[in-house]
Amino acid sequence: MPAEPDYENLRQEMLAYVKEQPAAFGVYFADINAGVSFGIDEHKPFPAASTVKLPVVLYLYTLAADGSVDWQER
């Protein structure tokens, strides 16, 4: 069985980067193949802000693909 990857250096680099930023945010990393993960403030609540745009745009792409909406129409 292969050895579990060591992501401690990556975690330390990400932690240092996060600490330098003027804004607060959380990070979660998961290697789904190895089953290894770590987080930085991953349990801290943050407002969703712009993340709601992604499912809306995906839905609009679905509607455009089936002809329900036209991208040229306002």
Side-chain angles (χ1 to χ4, degrees), residues 5-56:
D6 181 7
Y7 290 114
E8 184 57 26
N9 287 341
L10 176 61
R11 191 183 78 75
Q12 290 298 325
E13 285 182 39
M14 291 177 73
L15 183 59
Y17 178 80
V18 167
K19 285 184 175 184
E20 292 175 0
Q21 303 312 305
F25 58 93
V27 176
Y28 187 78
F29 171 86
D31 179 338
I32 59 173
N33 292 319
V36 178
S37 63
F38 67 84
I40 300 167
D41 288 336
E42 72 273 24
H43 298 294
K44 185 177 178 181
F46 293 96
S50 294
T51 57
V52 72
K53 293 175 189 171
L54 181 60
V56 171

